[in-house]
Amino acid sequence: MSDSAVDLSAVPAHVACVMDGNGRWAARRGLPRTAGHEAGLDALFDTVDGALEIGVQWLTVYAFSTENWTRPRDEVRFLLDFNRSILAARRDEMHERGVRLRFIGGRDRRLARSLLAEMDAAAELTAANERLTLTVAFNYGGRAELTEAVRRIVASGMRPEEVTEQTIRANLATADMPDPDVVIRTSGEHRLSNFLLWQVAYSEMVFLDVLWPDFGRAHLFEAVAEYQRRERRFGGLDR
């Protein structure tokens, strides 16, 4: 699908993606799972270019979940090293495109200092960019984010009756981001897998059968066109 099928006057401000299917893509080709992650990188950057093309302002991708630590040790090690090398190699390219890079998720001792340094360097380099904010959810889990928000609220000494939805929102990692208008999940799975649990309360869900390494801007345009065909009522009635 081309961008001509997208109504450029009604593009969602925030698109979120669960990038699923790298391992299955590799297995179907008799390749190691790591080859799927490498192929998925090309899909990500084509999606970024597509988002820039149609004017999406926020793109959030689920890169590494808190549950991914249970995967085979070699795969986890590859993902950590791979993401560090990606940041070093591609951050200048993203900067030239006017993309602001941000990261949400835990920064615990399982993450090497060198990886955290690359994240910080990428975020600092691109901080003033305004065309698109690409938020990478890395070592992220929605339940962990909510738990941490509750801890901060309790530690502040706030009385229970003072806590509102706005209080909770203000203590989330995404406090300064709009909620996703649409969430895209690839590989044919129909679940959120602990991704942005608070933020997607009224997001539109688009599930595609394509595996992530085969995803690209045409699929992004397809999902956005599907989003535009829907009527968002936020719990209200049809008018």
Side-chain angles (χ1 to χ4, degrees), residues 160-177:
E161 61 271 19
E162 296 176 320
V163 178
T164 65
E165 288 189 11
Q166 289 70 32
T167 306
I168 296 171
R169 175 184 291 275
N171 282 277
L172 296 174
T174 59
D176 62 342
M177 295 166 54

Side-chain angles (χ1 to χ4, degrees), residues 9-238:
S9 69
V11 173
H14 188 176
V15 175
C17 293
V18 180
M19 305 182 294
D20 193 24
N22 291 346
R24 275 168 283 174
W25 182 91
R28 290 177 184 178
R29 289 160 177 78
L31 300 171
R33 290 176 59 85
T34 53
H37 297 306
E38 291 174 337
L41 176 62
D42 292 334
L44 171 59
F45 286 110
D46 193 51
T47 300
V48 169
D49 285 340
L52 289 168
E53 184 177 334
I54 62 174
V56 173
Q57 296 174 311
W58 299 79
L59 177 64
T60 300
V61 298
Y62 205 9
F64 189 87
S65 76
T66 50
E67 290 76 29
N68 287 157
W69 291 105
T70 63
R71 292 187 175 187
R73 184 176 300 177
D74 288 346
E75 183 179 356
V76 170
R77 185 182 300 112
F78 171 86
L79 286 170
L80 298 180
D81 291 342
F82 184 51
N83 279 277
R84 180 172 57 225
S85 64
I86 289 169
L87 289 172
R90 304 297 288 266
R91 69 184 178 209
D92 290 340
E93 180 183 339
M94 291 295 99
H95 184 45
E96 291 171 1
R97 282 170 162 75
V99 175
R100 178 173 59 156
L101 284 165
R102 299 180 60 183
F103 303 87
I104 57 174
R107 295 172 63 95
D108 57 54
R109 62 184 181 182
R110 292 176 294 184
L111 298 181
R113 291 183 181 180
S114 57
L115 174 56
L116 294 174
E118 291 291 354
M119 289 180 175
D120 292 341
E124 182 177 356
L125 174 67
T126 63
N129 293 338
E130 297 181 346
R131 283 190 71 195
L132 169 70
T133 297
L134 173 60
T135 302
V136 180
F138 196 86
N139 193 25
Y140 173 87
R143 288 179 176 180
E145 181 188 26
L146 287 166
T147 300
E148 186 59 33
V150 172
R151 286 173 176 164
R152 282 195 288 268
I153 294 169
V154 171
S156 74
M158 184 174 290
R159 297 192 303 272
E161 61 271 19
E162 296 176 320
V163 178
T164 65
E165 288 189 11
Q166 289 70 32
T167 306
I168 296 171
R169 175 184 291 275
N171 282 277
L172 296 174
T174 59
D176 62 342
M177 295 166 54
D179 290 340
D181 298 294
V182 58
V183 178
I184 303 167
R185 178 160 187 158
T186 58
S187 84
E189 302 292 349
H190 292 187
R191 59 179 179 273
L192 287 171
S193 295
N194 202 17
F195 183 49
L196 300 177
L197 297 180
W198 175 278
Q199 298 87 340
V200 302
Y202 280 102
S203 302
E204 295 295 324
M205 306 292 171
V206 176
F207 300 107
L208 300 176
D209 287 335
V210 62
L211 300 175
W212 178 256
D214 293 324
F215 189 90
R217 69 184 73 192
H219 298 97
L220 172 67
F221 301 155
E222 176 187 343
V224 169
E226 169 62 25
Y227 160 83
Q228 292 177 336
R229 288 191 288 269
R230 300 182 185 179
E231 181 180 356
R232 305 182 75 195
R233 295 187 296 275
F234 299 97
L237 299 175
D238 292 333

